[in-house]
Amino acid sequence: MLLLRPHHINCLFFYQGLGYSKNFTIGMDKLVTLIKENPYSKVMFIVGCDILCNNCPNRQVNNCCITQNKVNELDYNTLRTYNIKEN
Ligand code: SF4
């Protein structure tokens, strides 16, 4: 099962091969390929760091993002917009 931050479904949908760093785009490329090859993968939405954050230079050692408040807001907005429940 994939663990994803809710707002990352938007990032994946609009992804055009660019990102925060080379490692980040490599991680995005891998995830996009994984989802395309496994379109029925199960996903759990978590408001917290996920597989994409693992390769992001904005991730902090305490498992947070440097823009934690902003990304949390994006996550909760995404959950509301798509009527998705966390976890
Ligand atoms: S660490 Fe922050 S900026 Fe980086 S992918 Fe995760 S939520 Fe996005």
Side-chain angles (χ1 to χ4, degrees):
M1 180 176 301
L2 287 172
L3 299 182
L4 276 185
R5 291 196 83 117
H7 84 269
H8 282 166
I9 56 178
N10 304 315
C11 302
L12 286 163
F13 185 79
F14 292 107
Y15 180 60
Q16 294 186 322
L18 302 173
Y20 299 109
S21 68
K22 182 145 180 75
N23 269 352
F24 181 84
T25 55
I26 289 170
M28 279 290 273
D29 289 341
K30 281 185 186 169
L31 183 58
V32 168
T33 300
L34 179 75
I35 291 171
K36 283 183 177 171
E37 290 177 350
N38 303 279
Y40 296 103
S41 300
K42 291 195 177 194
V43 175
M44 179 184 285
F45 292 103
I46 52 161
V47 177
C49 282
D50 66 4
I51 189 171
L52 289 178
C53 301
N54 287 342
N55 300 312
C56 181
N58 294 338
R59 183 173 180 163
Q60 303 290 284
V61 287
N62 58 358
N63 208 28
C64 289
C65 174
I66 59 169
T67 57
Q68 188 71 17
N69 290 341
K70 178 185 162 196
V71 293
N72 281 356
E73 190 178 335
L74 290 171
D75 283 338
Y76 288 116
N77 284 342
T78 301
L79 289 171
R80 263 194 307 278
T81 299
Y82 296 121
N83 197 23
I84 297 170
K85 287 189 172 59
E86 187 181 358
N87 299 317

